[in-house]
Amino acid sequence: EEDALLGHRELDLAFMGKEAPHCGFPEAALPKYAEKLVALGHKVGVVEQMETPAQLEERNKKRKEAGQRVDKAVRREICSVLTQGTAPPQGAQATYVLFVCEDLPSKTLGVCFVDVATGCGSLGQC
């Protein structure tokens, strides 16, 4: 409910539903709205559908046979979380985060950089 109010207030989205308040937008608008929320200091969780309606039907069939309650909606999971430190600006090719760790006794440096826009990274020591 709080997320729906936030979406309505910050993004001017239509507020829907009385029993379970919600608001939404097309998936194609995610970069625009996510960037705006992150710029306002919010964390954005990207949730994706993890099964098809046919897979839900099959899963519910097994649950019913086991005497368990069936689910009404397909399974969804948080696939990524965008913050001011990890969200790539719209149109950016790469957004790097660099980590450096010093080990004084062995006089070595550990270095890792990650492109948070693509998830690719590299690790090394010297």
Side-chain angles (χ1 to χ4, degrees):
E1 186 175 327
E2 290 178 27
D3 292 341
L5 292 171
L6 180 86
H8 174 67
R9 184 179 67 243
E10 302 288 5
L11 304 174
D12 199 31
L13 297 173
F15 190 74
M16 302 173 283
K18 293 179 181 172
E19 291 180 25
H22 61 281
C23 61
F25 52 84
E27 186 177 358
L30 175 63
K32 177 180 94 172
Y33 287 131
E35 184 174 29
K36 187 172 182 180
L37 287 170
V38 168
L40 291 168
H42 299 287
K43 292 179 185 175
V44 176
V46 179
V47 178
E48 295 191 13
Q49 185 173 307
M50 303 307 290
E51 66 183 354
T52 64
Q55 290 169 322
L56 170 65
E57 191 175 314
E58 184 63 32
R59 185 166 55 89
N60 277 337
K61 184 178 175 184
K62 291 177 184 174
R63 291 177 66 90
K64 215 181 245 187
E65 290 170 359
Q68 298 173 332
R69 196 180 89 222
V70 297
D71 290 328
K72 293 180 181 179
V74 293
R75 189 170 53 86
R76 293 176 170 83
E77 291 181 8
I78 294 178
C79 295
S80 63
V81 177
L82 305 174
T83 67
Q84 289 181 339
T86 63
Q90 235 178 352
Q93 296 299 315
T95 303
Y96 291 99
V97 177
L98 173 68
F99 305 92
V100 179
C101 181
E102 181 180 23
D103 183 36
L104 293 175
S106 66
K107 297 181 182 177
T108 58
L109 288 176
V111 180
C112 174
F113 67 89
V114 177
D115 176 1
V116 296
T118 64
C120 295
S122 186
L123 180 67
Q125 83 178 38
C126 55

